[in-house]
Amino acid sequence: MKTRSSNDLPNDITALKQLVLAQGSQLLEHQQGQAVYQKALSEKQARIQFLEEQIILFKHRQFGHSSEKNTQQVELFDEAEVEVSLSAPDVAQAVEPGQAPATKKAKSGRKPLPQNLPRVRVEHDVVDSDKVCACGCQKSCIGEETSEQLDIIPAVIQVLVHARLKYACKDCESGITIAALPPQPIPKSNASAGLLAHIATAKYQDGLPLYRMEAIFKRLNIHLPRNTQANWMIKGAQLLQPLYNLLNDHLLDSGYVHMDETRVQVLKEPDKLARSLSYMWVRRTGDPNLGDPRQTVVLFDYRASRSASVVDELLGDYQGYLQTDDYVGYHKTGLREGITHLGCMAHARRKFIEAQKVAPSAKGKVSKADMAVSLIKGLYQIESVIKDENPNQRMLVRQEKSVPQLAKLRKWLDKSLIHTPPKSKAGAAMAYLHKNWAKLAAYTKDGRLNIDNNPVENAIRPFAIGRKNWMFSNSQEGAKASAMLYSIIETAKANGLEPYAYLKLLFTKLPSCETVEDVEELLPWNALKLSTQ
């Protein structure tokens, strides 16, 4: 703005007024321009910070360790308020200041081999000359020393020859009678229940793709193409449908369901490109009684989309607790009357850990992300102490210890939220915590509830590992079969059953089932009871 000398100023009062107004207008325009410039600069700086954080986080995900543990994190909240007091009734263990919950240290060294394995005795004797003493007398055997080695025999493949005896009358040479063939899992197929169970366990439990199994069978001089195996898995999954229906009824009646979803690629889907994504939806019952058997159900369901309508379809008229992450597809169902929507504290913690990774604090300094992670750690310390207590005791301890700890976290959040850039990783983590606060704190109101959604995420992990190996499903039928078999295997594991043995039992018994009661006897907890009798 050009400065005028006193000689340049007009002597007329009206002209002076106009000059002052013009300069005021220029000053206002200049200030407005500066404000726009400062706003643009701030937005660019926030964008630069966001991109820098994304780059750091991408590098960490690509090259860093995957654990959420931060070795540089300052331990802030190991004080007595985070601990469970010894005076709390029925709590046998407490956390001392500055210490983690006491756990039994596992013994190091070689563990003994299982006693249920068959033993094959291999004797090693000395030569006859060594059985004669130097004095000339014959030595007597006074005992033995034994050691054990673990041995393995490759899979034994055999052919089951079903011989159906035939009877006829020799006098009239008519009236031929032949023994009936028991119902088979796949009629007119040469696949036994054991073979179907083996292929299903190898793929869906051990993550072995069908083309690798084809090569394994080929080494044994058996021609078993992958497309034949895939068709068997589809037909075997169809046989399991009645059992799945009962498991689904049990889950919807449980009153407490964890839910999550993960991507899956299906090559042949109507109106979709081969590279587009579909989803595997996973539901798991909570542990309302913390007893054995828990009658836990884990169900996988394939759907072509991630739409909120899928949640309504899978839950139907379900009433009770629903625990999920903050994906928007769950929001509408979570607001439905009769449903209490719970959040996942692990997701909230994970966002602050990401903030720690992109902006690590200097040595001796405490960042906002450090504060949040330490406060949340206090909540998990309480859970680690009471995890084996009954629901009533868990409820009492949470009210006494967890609620005050949550109040500390809330107070810190309210103070820090307004001073943190919203587009930074720390700001985004705080916004997530603030937005979901009611759902994240709701677990303290019932001792049956979990602090996070990890039970269902752990159930998804075998699927995610297998997906790295087989990568995609060829068809919708294959994806549905995968969902069915993952459901049965993960439910069996959750109830203490060995997957192969349980699948073989199902493929053997289900073809003969005629009533609902027959199928109910094959539910995992009923099969477990039968195996222990």
Side-chain angles (χ1 to χ4, degrees), residues 200 233-247 481 484-489 502-503 505-507 510 519:
M233 292 299 97
I234 292 172
K235 292 179 180 178
Q238 293 169 352
L239 179 64
L240 297 170
Q241 187 67 51
L243 184 71
Y244 175 94
N245 294 342
L246 290 180
L247 291 172
M484 178 68 72
L485 289 160
Y486 272 113
S487 298
I488 302 303
I489 288 174
Y502 185 53
L503 281 172
L505 173 69
L506 296 179
F507 288 137
L510 277 172
V519 181

Side-chain angles (χ1 to χ4, degrees), residues 385-402:
V385 173
I386 63 175
K387 63 182 180 180
D388 296 323
E389 299 297 327
N390 63 66
N392 290 335
Q393 184 56 38
R394 292 172 72 181
M395 171 75 170
L396 291 174
V397 176
R398 283 173 174 173
Q399 290 299 310
E400 181 184 351
K401 302 296 178 182
S402 300

Side-chain angles (χ1 to χ4, degrees), residues 233-446:
M233 292 299 97
I234 292 172
K235 292 179 180 178
Q238 293 169 352
L239 179 64
L240 297 170
Q241 187 67 51
L243 184 71
Y244 175 94
N245 294 342
L246 290 180
L247 291 172
N248 187 59
D249 291 343
H250 183 85
L251 179 139
L252 295 178
D253 290 340
S254 69
Y256 183 17
V257 173
H258 295 271
M259 195 167 182
D260 201 358
E261 79 291 334
T262 187
R263 59 180 176 79
V264 63
Q265 187 176 3
V266 180
L267 298 184
K268 297 177 182 178
E269 282 187 310
D271 304 321
K272 291 183 71 173
L273 297 175
R275 63 176 179 270
S276 61
L277 292 180
S278 299
Y279 290 88
M280 198 68 78
W281 295 78
V282 188
R283 295 169 292 157
R284 185 190 191 278
T285 55
D287 298 331
N289 298 315
L290 296 177
D292 290 320
R294 296 182 179 180
Q295 299 189 0
T296 301
V297 176
V298 181
L299 297 182
F300 287 70
D301 291 274
Y302 156 76
R303 291 295 185 275
S305 78
R306 203 186 181 197
S307 168
S309 61
V310 178
V311 183
D312 281 336
E313 176 192 348
L314 294 177
L315 292 180
D317 57 358
Y318 168 75
Q319 301 278 285
Y321 292 106
L322 174 64
Q323 192 155 25
T324 71
D325 56 24
D326 191 41
Y327 169 54
V328 68
Y330 299 112
H331 291 178
K332 180 181 177 181
T333 304
L335 293 172
R336 205 168 68 193
E337 185 178 355
I339 289 183
T340 301
H341 197 185
L342 307 175
C344 177
M345 190 65 75
H347 274 74
R349 178 181 60 183
R350 197 170 298 149
K351 292 182 180 297
F352 284 107
I353 289 173
E354 288 182 353
Q356 285 181 318
K357 291 174 180 178
V358 300
S361 55
K363 190 173 182 179
K365 300 289 185 179
V366 178
S367 69
K368 292 176 180 178
D370 292 336
M371 292 285 289
V373 170
S374 293
L375 283 164
I376 295 173
K377 178 184 176 183
L379 295 169
Y380 275 92
Q381 283 180 324
I382 297 169
E383 294 303 307
S384 68
V385 173
I386 63 175
K387 63 182 180 180
D388 296 323
E389 299 297 327
N390 63 66
N392 290 335
Q393 184 56 38
R394 292 172 72 181
M395 171 75 170
L396 291 174
V397 176
R398 283 173 174 173
Q399 290 299 310
E400 181 184 351
K401 302 296 178 182
S402 300
V403 170
Q405 183 69 7
L406 282 165
K408 287 185 180 183
L409 181 60
R410 180 74 250 187
K411 183 178 179 181
W412 169 86
L413 178 63
D414 291 339
K415 182 179 178 181
S416 303
L417 192 59
I418 58 177
H419 300 296
T420 306
K423 292 187 178 180
S424 66
K425 278 292 178 182
M430 291 179 191
Y432 181 94
L433 186 61
H434 174 71
K435 174 187 174 185
N436 293 281
W437 182 262
K439 291 185 287 188
L440 293 170
Y443 79 97
T444 60
K445 299 177 182 178
D446 192 325

Side-chain angles (χ1 to χ4, degrees), residues 33-76:
Q34 284 292 103
V36 171
Y37 171 78
Q38 288 295 334
K39 182 180 178 181
L41 181 61
S42 298
E43 289 177 350
K44 287 183 178 179
Q45 289 175 336
R47 180 64 177 170
I48 290 170
Q49 180 183 357
F50 172 78
L51 293 174
E52 287 178 342
E53 289 180 343
Q54 291 295 106
I55 291 170
I56 294 171
L57 189 59
F58 173 78
K59 287 182 177 179
H60 192 279
R61 287 175 177 170
Q62 190 75 8
F63 306 110
H65 61 83
S66 59
S67 171
E68 291 185 358
K69 184 176 180 181
N70 187 349
T71 56
Q72 297 180 343
Q73 180 185 336
V74 181
E75 298 296 336
L76 301 174

